[in-house]
Amino acid sequence: MSIASLAPRADFPLLAANPALHYLDSAATSQKPAAMLDALRHFYETSNANPHRGAYALSALATDAYHDARATIARFVGVADADCLIFTRGTTESMNLVASSWGGAHVGPGDEIVVSAIEHHANFVPWQQLALRTGATLRIVELTSTQTIDLDMLRDVIGARTKIVAITHVSNAVGSITPLQDVVRIVRSRSAAVIVVDGAQAVPHLAVNFDALDIDFYAFSGHKLLGPMGIGVLVGRRKLLEAMPPYQFGGDMIEWVRDADSTWNVLPHKFEAGTPNAADAVALAAAVRYLDGLGMANVRAHEIALLEAAEARVRALPGVTVYGPPAAQRSGVLSFSLADVHPHDLATILDQHGVCIRAGHHCAQPLMRRLGVSATARASFYVYSDGSDVDALVGALTAAQQLFATVD
Amino acid sequence: MSSVAPFTASIAAMYQDALLAHHRAPHNRRVIESPSAVGARKNPVCGDDITVMVTLESDAVRDVAFTGRGCSIATASASMMTDAVLGLTVSDALALADAVDRMLHPDAGQAGSADAVPEPLPDALTPLRGVAPFPGRHGCAMLPWQALREALTAKR
């Protein structure tokens, strides 16, 4: 199959060193370009000092690099006010920050928190636990037959008691893209709820503009968009962030400490306790520049082409169920089951063919329950994927079916 | 730069006919109506779950069966487990679960090194040795044994 990769494999040291490897687990974590790895190394080799702390040139260099990284990433996700972009450890921490800080201050008995049945655990459990902690009610919006959020049910569920609507932009498990504009319209017309969006699977694959979305919080992780593990982002509206209590205490988030109480630093520092993860922020900015160079419209077009080609060939195998809406309404995720071959067995057999896929519940157990399965197999594509990856996937699936004798 | 080796251990050795036969037609996959003890375990990785039911008589396993869903390794392991522990005392059945655990984990000094002497296991469990080189699948193979342990330990 002749679909070329969008980004040269040569730009990715791990892929370059493993020409026979077919990495189809980018929804779990992406591979890393040399440009990002170089930036990480360059920071530690040339600018390593504690940002904001030292009254010397090297510390100023580190501070500038950290500041520039924030500005670059803010531009990439359409945030004009870069001080409203908080660096966290990842999407999970971002969600816990909002649940703990905003939720802890504003949610009480009788209030309602709305999530959907497709959420990743990181955007489900923090809200479930907030509800349990505060006496609020967790309302779960169900899904359509193609695993997208049921807007009719959303309309029914949202009301005067709704305090928070937490919803994913793109499903990690089946790839469905949420019609965010419709969601926002429904929520805004029926409630004063804050809208929290899990963008972990969206920012790597779609052009995102936070300011244009009319939402309140948006979270994503660095490692899924060519960046390092252990850094992520929370974007919020200034008015909300300024009114929120801190999430953690210590380090840069401090302004004055008196014996009896303390005051807090301004945004974004108020939510960045401890020594900031400057090196990873700088590396994430380099990853973002790399993606910018490819063009997010090209990223999207490339993924749709691969997804449509892969899906047609996988569907042609006997006993296949593909989950989610049509390829054009999904990110680069192909989630499927093969009759009589458990996803775990598939993943083991595919690995022997050099094909890395994810098999499991994808940290989306509420969704798996609704699909009536314990697990699915998930192949996920990204900028370095090409037609040979699809060939290898289909070839290995055929081999698995032969081993399990589900085909002659 | 070193390269990533996919699983090089023989897939065929793991998915041998004996194991696949258990997977296709598991032994004792049924419900025991009034068991003496029940254990249930879930694999947090994939959500698979296995429930093991045991009937005890004079501290011996008089009947054992399982229900639930799992991959071929978990299902075959459950099937073989029911064959292997039938008639054993509770102590011997628990010891056998420990032996399977040690066989699967190279760190325990059994399966990992080439010169390690394999611990004796009943012939019925021989197909499980093929799983040892696949650390990602140890949890699948142990799932029914953990459920058995839970049932028997609770009963002790």
Side-chain angles (χ1 to χ4, degrees):
Chain A
M1 178 186 277
S2 62
I3 298 176
S5 67
L6 179 64
R9 273 179 82 100
D11 285 0
F12 293 78
L14 188 147
L15 297 177
N18 295 281
L21 187 75
H22 299 281
Y23 185 77
L24 295 178
D25 197 18
S26 294
T29 195
S30 68
Q31 291 302 330
K32 314 303 178 195
M36 183 282 277
L37 300 169
D38 290 348
L40 187 63
R41 189 178 181 91
H42 186 256
F43 176 86
Y44 282 123
E45 285 182 348
T46 66
S47 317
N48 180 50
N50 205 317
H52 309 131
R53 303 276 168 89
Y56 49 86
L58 190 61
S59 176
L61 208 58
T63 305
D64 287 348
Y66 188 49
H67 176 84
D68 290 349
R70 192 188 309 276
T72 299
I73 297 161
R75 269 194 302 278
F76 184 68
V77 289
V79 176
D81 186 352
D83 289 344
C84 293
L85 187 146
I86 317 291
F87 284 116
T88 63
R89 285 193 298 127
T91 307
T92 303
E93 189 178 57
S94 298
M95 289 307 177
N96 278 280
L97 192 166
V98 180
S100 172
S101 176
W102 196 91
H106 293 93
V107 176
D111 291 336
E112 294 186 349
I113 302 168
V114 174
V115 297
S116 88
I118 209 168
E119 302 305 321
H120 187 278
H121 293 165
N123 195 34
F124 190 94
V125 181
W127 308 114
Q128 177 194 64
Q129 294 301 307
L130 175 66
L132 291 171
R133 215 162 48 235
T134 58
T137 303
L138 188 74
R139 305 286 302 270
I140 301 171
V141 178
E142 295 296 336
L143 308 172
T144 65
S145 58
T146 55
Q147 293 86 48
T148 49
I149 286 159
D150 183 340
L151 294 177
D152 290 335
M153 183 168 177
L154 180 74
R155 208 171 280 118
D156 290 343
V157 162
I158 303 289
R161 289 181 171 178
T162 313
K163 277 292 177 77
I164 296 171
V165 179
I167 222 128
T168 193
H169 195 171
V170 170
S171 155
N172 73 307
V174 296
S176 11
I177 299 172
T178 301
L180 264 189
Q181 285 181 323
D182 294 336
V183 169
V184 170
R185 206 166 27 242
I186 291 167
V187 175
R188 293 292 187 229
S189 68
R190 296 175 159 258
S191 74
V194 299
I195 303 176
V196 188
V197 178
D198 171 357
Q201 299 289 343
V203 174
H205 307 280
L206 310 170
V208 170
N209 188 309
F210 173 79
D211 288 345
L213 278 173
D214 186 26
I215 58 174
D216 298 296
F217 296 100
Y218 195 89
F220 58 97
S221 299
H223 70 99
K224 294 184 198 291
L225 67 139
L226 310 180
M229 294 182 183
I231 188 161
V233 165
L234 172 70
V235 178
R237 285 169 53 202
R238 177 174 279 276
K239 220 172 112 183
L240 297 174
L241 289 171
E242 284 183 336
M244 282 158 58
Y247 172 59
Q248 293 176 331
F249 301 91
D252 279 351
M253 57 77 63
I254 302 287
E255 185 189 45
W256 293 108
V257 177
R258 296 178 289 262
D259 282 1
D261 60 7
S262 300
T263 60
W264 318 126
N265 203 343
V266 296
L267 294 175
H269 313 295
K270 185 170 85 172
F271 292 106
E272 294 183 354
T275 293
N277 188 359
D280 284 338
V282 166
L284 179 56
V288 155
R289 279 194 294 273
Y290 183 88
L291 274 176
D292 245 346
L294 297 175
M296 290 310 290
N298 297 328
V299 171
R300 178 82 188 119
H302 176 65
E303 286 180 4
I304 291 179
L306 274 175
L307 199 57
E308 285 179 340
E311 183 166 333
R313 291 180 63 191
V314 169
R315 275 189 191 279
L317 300 172
V320 166
T321 304
V322 174
Y323 302 102
Q329 296 161 37
R330 299 207 308 269
S331 69
V333 167
L334 179 63
S335 198
F336 62 95
S337 297
L338 220 50
D340 302 324
V341 189
H342 189 283
H344 250 189
D345 293 313
L346 271 185
T348 302
I349 296 160
L350 264 56
D351 190 38
Q352 204 195 26
H353 293 255
V355 180
C356 308
I357 64 157
R358 176 78 180 268
H361 54 58
H362 317 296
C363 298
Q365 289 177 12
L367 171 63
M368 295 295 122
R369 273 198 300 282
R370 283 155 177 86
L371 293 177
V373 298
S374 60
T376 74
R378 181 188 72 183
S380 51
F381 301 96
Y382 205 22
V383 292
Y384 36 72
S385 310
D386 64 17
S388 77
D389 295 323
V390 176
D391 292 339
L393 172 68
V394 174
L397 288 176
T398 307
Q401 286 188 312
Q402 281 162 355
L403 181 69
F404 274 77
T406 56
V407 294
D408 294 329
Chain B
M1 181 174 291
S2 64
S3 63
V4 181
F7 280 142
T8 47
S10 171
I11 288 279
M14 176 160 69
Y15 290 114
Q16 56 197 282
D17 289 345
L19 187 140
L20 289 176
H22 276 278
H23 161 60
R24 288 193 191 102
H27 305 177
N28 300 306
R29 184 176 205 153
R30 58 186 161 81
V31 173
I32 295 177
E33 286 302 339
S34 301
S36 315
V38 177
R41 291 305 287 259
K42 238 180 208 310
N43 186 343
V45 179
C46 59
D48 284 355
D49 64 284
I50 298 279
T51 299
V52 171
M53 292 144 283
V54 186
T55 302
L56 298 173
E57 200 180 289
S58 308
D59 197 41
V61 177
R62 284 294 163 233
D63 194 11
V64 55
F66 78 101
T67 58
R69 55 186 174 182
C71 59
S72 66
I73 307 296
T75 307
S77 182
S79 172
M80 288 180 237
M81 181 271 288
T82 59
D83 287 348
V85 301
L86 193 66
L88 297 185
T89 63
V90 168
S91 298
D92 286 349
L94 287 170
L96 188 58
D98 292 344
V100 172
D101 211 344
R102 285 194 299 274
M103 181 274 291
L104 288 173
H105 291 92
D107 290 349
Q110 289 302 323
S113 61
D115 51 356
V117 180
E119 188 167 356
L121 284 176
D123 289 346
L125 298 182
T126 304
L128 279 181
R129 290 194 190 281
V131 183
F134 296 86
R137 306 306 299 277
H138 291 173
C140 312
M142 278 309 295
L143 198 64
W145 293 92
Q146 287 167 342
L148 175 76
R149 262 187 196 147
E150 188 177 285
L152 296 183
T153 308
K155 204 61 200 169
R156 250 184 171 179

